[in-house]
């Protein structure tokens, strides 16, 4: 082992939070760079992040699997073009095992906060394990807990009054058999449109409470043939060509998302025709007609959503929810819709997803305040006054048109470069300069002004005051370019002799 590696082993503990795509990518990339001194803290007892938590019927990815997977771990035998949740979860299990990451994970550890100590350049990470408060010291602190991890219950009067079964789409209660029941689904987003067709097959009566009609396009899903699987396995270049084809096809959509939303008219044309084709009843069709630019909210793909809504035992309720009662849902027109169960497909706490963590940086700076008030960051990865801390799937890195796994890999590569710089230059810490993050954030916000998300709809990409702290306003290859090199000029590089002090974990 080299002297440098020894320093890493002894003096460079790294804490990663979460074992979703982000945490796993980070761990693998660190290992590939020869850095093995990391611990992953995972609040659950299993890996997988969103692909562990979202087990609702019909859960699948709306990005093709051959692209929604790691470039360093291709899978040749995806069962479908858009694979189901269980297959993606088992792919992640495979990655964790193949790269020997499982033994680096401490399960059942919920991170509650972290504090930076300037003199040693260390983070003290606080977490709860089996009800006990514990701490770990880290030279680098990497947050891989995604924004789509905390379910958002709707702010509806009487939510707690309901006497039947009620659960969020991301916390599906598999003990409840909904067969033959009367069921309400609140929400018509990406989760709901996957759940509704499955419920439609088994329930006696299904009521879909729609606040905003989404754009729905046909999903080019299909079984992957045996020939394709064998070809992808035997001739890797065909697999890469297929992946590249999906990537560039998706990437072309960015022209409408971020260059000129008027280009979305073509997709709207397809969406309107699809609605006309699938829904013949003009009253229902009027209810389902979206009234915002496609892409402003997430564009949905389904071959069975409209087809379920037209069935006689399914109703789309658009009267607006007034309250939840003991027996069901009361709408503003005074009607009480009595149901046995309510599914809350109402999304996630996105804009303030870091607020549950108490993270204190330099001079007592609070991360939650920084993210909700200053709202500045650099590449969605680093934040001034929070040195040696790195966000995965951080602010302004979300997409509407392509695979998040591509963004995650770009981020993980960048974080490895930062850690190598800390090591090779023997820095105590690196802290992004305020001017650099200000310039970067201004540029991102300016570009977002002409994006589809600024075309006038309400979505989880926007905070209450309309600030878009979620979406990346460009092509994904632009993000790749921006993160490809570490520009150390953007960082204060601080050296203190305490660097050589042994870090002891407690
Ligand atoms: P979402 O897109 O935020 O949708 C939430 C739905 O609940 C919306 O229809 C919303 O209506 C409705 N809603 C929220 N509060 C309500 C209230 N108080 N009363 C009535 N309706 C209410 O959440 P999601 O469907 O869980 O999807 C979130 C994100 O997860 C997606 O955008 C996507 O990024 C990801 N996702 C991905 C996949 C995939 O296949 N890769 C699948 C599922 C989810 P409004 O539209 O009026 O706000």
């Amino acid at each position: 082992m080299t002297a440098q590696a020894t320093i890493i082993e002894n003096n460079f503990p790294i804490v990663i939070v979460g074992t979703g795509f982000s945490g796993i990518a980070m761990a693998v990339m660190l290992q590939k760079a020869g850095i093995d001194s990391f611990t992953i803290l995972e609040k659950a007892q299993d890996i997988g992040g969103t692909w562990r938590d979202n087990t609702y019927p019909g859960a699948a990815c709306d990005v093709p699997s051959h692209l929604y997977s790691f470039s360093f771990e291709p899978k040749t035998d995806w069962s479908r073009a858009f694979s189901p949740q269980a297959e993606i979860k088992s792919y992640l299990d495979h990655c964790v095992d193949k790269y020997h990451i499982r033994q680096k994970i401490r399960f059942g550890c919920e991170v509650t906060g972290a504090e930076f100590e300037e003199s040693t350049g260390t983070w003290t990470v606080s977490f709860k394990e089996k009800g006990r408060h514990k701490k770990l010291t880290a030279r680098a602190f990497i947050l891989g807990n995604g924004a789509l991890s905390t379910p958002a219950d709707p702010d509806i009067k009487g939510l707690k009054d309901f006497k039947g079964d009620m659960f969020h789409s991301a916390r599906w209660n598999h003990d409840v058999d909904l067969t033959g029941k009367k069921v309400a689904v609140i929400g018509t987003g990406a989760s709901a449109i996957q759940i509704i067709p499955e419920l439609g097959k088994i329930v006696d009566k299904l009521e879909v409470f729609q606040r905003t009609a989404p754009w729905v396009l046909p999903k080019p899903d299909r079984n992957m043939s045996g020939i394709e699987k064998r070809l992808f396995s035997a001739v890797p270049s065909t697999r890469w060509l297929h992946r590249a084809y999906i990537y560039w096809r998706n990437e072309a959509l960015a022209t409408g998302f971020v260059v000129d939303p008027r280009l979305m008219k073509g997709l709207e044309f397809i969406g309107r025709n699809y609605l006309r084709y699938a829904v013949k009843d003009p009253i229902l069709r009027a209810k389902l007609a979206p009234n915002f630019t496609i892409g402003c909210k997430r564009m949905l793909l389904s071959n069975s959503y409209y087809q379920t809504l037209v069935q006689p035992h399914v109703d789309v309720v658009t009267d607006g929810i007034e309250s939840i009662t003991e027996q069901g849902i009361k709408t503003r027109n005074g009607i009480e819709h009595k149901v046995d169960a309510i599914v809350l497909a109402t999304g996630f706490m996105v804009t303030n997803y870091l607020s549950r963590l108490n993270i204190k940086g330099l001079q007592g700076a609070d991360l939650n305040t920084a993210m909700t008030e200053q709202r500045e960051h650099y590449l969605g990865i680093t934040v001034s006054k929070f040195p040696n801390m790195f966000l995965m799937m951080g602010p302004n890195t979300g997409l509407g048109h392509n695979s998040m796994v591509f963004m995650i890999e770009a981020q993980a590569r960048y974080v490895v470069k930062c850690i190598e710089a800390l090591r090779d230059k023997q820095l105590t810490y690196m802290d992004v300069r305020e001017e650099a993050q200000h310039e970067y954030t201004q540029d991102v916000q300016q570009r977002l002004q002409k994006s589809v998300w600024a075309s006038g709809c309400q979505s989880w990409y926007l905070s209450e005051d309309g600030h878009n702290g979620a979406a990346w306003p460009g092509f994904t290859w632009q993000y790749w370019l921006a993160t490809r090199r570490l520009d150390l000029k953007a960082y204060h590089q601080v050296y203190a002799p305490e660097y050589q002090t042994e870090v002891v974990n407690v």
Side-chain angles (χ1 to χ4, degrees), residues 261-275:
R262 284 175 301 183
L263 296 170
M264 298 302 258
K265 293 276 178 238
L267 288 176
E268 290 187 357
F269 178 76
I270 297 172
R272 258 192 300 274
N273 276 317
Y274 183 43
L275 175 60

Side-chain angles (χ1 to χ4, degrees), residues 56 60-62 148 154-156 186-191 194 211-212 297-298 345-348 460:
Y56 58 75
C61 192
D62 59 8
L148 298 173
D155 185 17
I156 301 175
I186 302 180
T188 53
S191 302
Q194 295 184 338
R211 189 164 67 179
T212 311
K297 286 170 182 283
R298 192 173 175 86
T346 44
F348 298 88
W460 64 255

Side-chain angles (χ1 to χ4, degrees), residues 301-471:
L301 304 178
S302 176
N303 300 329
S304 50
Y305 177 64
Y306 286 149
Q307 291 75 358
T308 302
L309 299 185
V310 297
Q311 293 176 24
H313 68 304
V314 182
D315 274 345
V316 178
V317 183
T318 54
D319 301 316
I321 299 174
E322 188 192 283
S323 61
I324 306 277
T325 64
E326 287 191 1
Q327 293 187 303
I329 298 175
K330 192 169 169 189
T331 41
R332 292 206 192 102
N333 57 4
I335 295 175
E336 186 182 20
H337 301 255
K338 293 187 178 170
V339 290
D340 303 309
I342 300 176
V343 173
L344 305 173
T346 44
F348 298 88
M349 291 170 65
V350 176
T351 51
N352 54 353
Y353 82 101
L354 290 168
S355 64
R356 292 173 305 286
L357 302 178
N358 180 18
I359 296 180
K360 301 285 185 214
L362 285 173
Q363 293 116 39
D366 173 56
L367 184 65
N368 191 30
T369 309
M371 299 318 296
T372 53
E373 291 178 15
Q374 291 92 8
R375 305 193 284 206
E376 296 201 335
H377 57 89
Y378 187 65
L379 298 169
I381 299 174
T382 50
V383 182
S384 183
K385 291 205 164 47
F386 298 88
N388 301 7
M389 185 196 84
F390 307 97
L391 302 173
M392 301 289 290
M393 286 178 74
N396 295 118
T397 62
L399 303 174
H401 73 285
N402 216 335
S403 171
M404 273 314 292
V405 180
F406 181 87
M407 302 293 272
I408 287 169
E409 284 192 32
Q411 288 157 12
R413 267 191 296 267
Y414 184 86
V415 175
V416 169
K417 286 185 180 37
C418 291
I419 289 172
E420 285 172 339
L422 284 166
R423 173 191 70 185
D424 297 345
K425 290 178 168 282
Q426 303 218 342
L427 300 173
T428 304
Y429 63 81
M430 55 190 287
D431 183 28
V432 66
R433 292 176 187 275
E434 282 186 358
E435 319 83 82
Q437 76 167 9
H438 182 68
E439 197 182 319
Y440 176 82
T441 311
Q442 291 279 94
D443 177 54
V444 163
Q445 289 303 321
Q446 212 163 15
R447 286 157 63 197
L448 280 167
Q449 296 299 316
K450 56 179 171 46
S451 73
V452 72
W453 301 288
S455 62
C457 78
Q458 268 297 324
S459 72
W460 64 255
Y461 298 97
L462 307 180
S463 59
E464 274 171 21
D465 65 354
H467 175 82
N468 188 336

Side-chain angles (χ1 to χ4, degrees), residues 20-225:
F21 266 98
S22 296
I24 296 171
M26 198 62 251
V28 173
M29 298 261 189
L30 282 169
Q31 270 182 352
K32 282 181 184 283
I35 301 171
D36 202 26
S37 55
F38 59 87
T39 302
I40 312 181
L41 299 178
E42 168 55 63
K43 69 176 182 326
Q45 295 297 341
D46 192 7
I47 65 115
T50 192
W51 295 106
R52 171 199 61 225
D53 293 340
N54 284 273
T55 59
Y56 58 75
C61 192
D62 59 8
V63 178
S65 299
H66 293 88
L67 182 62
Y68 194 84
S69 44
F70 293 125
S71 61
F72 54 79
E73 190 55 35
K75 176 172 155 64
T76 54
D77 59 349
W78 288 108
S79 65
R80 299 185 64 78
F82 296 79
S83 295
Q85 171 267 339
E87 197 172 347
I88 299 170
K89 167 71 172 66
S90 98
Y91 168 75
L92 290 176
D93 275 315
H94 158 81
C95 294
V96 163
D97 292 331
K98 175 169 172 184
Y99 292 92
H100 310 290
I101 290 166
R102 210 173 286 276
Q103 57 264 39
K104 313 283 282 179
I105 304 173
R106 277 176 74 166
F107 289 103
C109 292
E110 182 173 5
V111 174
T112 52
E115 196 164 347
F116 187 68
E117 172 50 51
E118 187 172 4
S119 63
T120 52
T122 51
W123 282 96
T124 304
V125 181
S126 308
F127 60 100
K128 273 196 282 189
E129 187 177 33
K130 295 189 183 134
R132 294 179 59 195
H133 293 273
K134 298 192 177 173
K135 292 183 193 305
L136 266 184
T137 307
R139 289 296 320 281
F141 177 41
I142 304 167
L143 285 156
N145 52 322
L148 298 173
S149 59
T150 305
D153 286 345
D155 185 17
I156 301 175
K157 199 169 66 181
L159 195 66
K160 301 249 178 306
D161 296 343
F162 185 61
K163 296 275 191 250
D165 293 303
M166 182 163 74
F167 43 85
H168 192 275
S169 56
R171 300 287 181 272
W172 197 268
N173 186 347
H174 292 276
D175 294 336
V176 177
D177 182 6
L178 296 174
T179 310
K181 300 270 175 65
K182 291 186 172 52
V183 179
V185 175
I186 302 180
T188 53
S191 302
I193 66 132
Q194 295 184 338
I195 294 166
I196 287 162
E198 296 307 309
L199 288 183
K201 290 177 196 163
I202 59 163
V203 301
D204 178 49
K205 170 100 189 138
L206 180 61
E207 293 187 277
V208 176
F209 289 79
Q210 171 189 281
R211 189 164 67 179
T212 311
W215 282 99
V216 182
L217 300 177
K219 189 173 186 178
D221 198 10
R222 62 181 176 84
N223 283 324
M224 298 305 293
S225 70

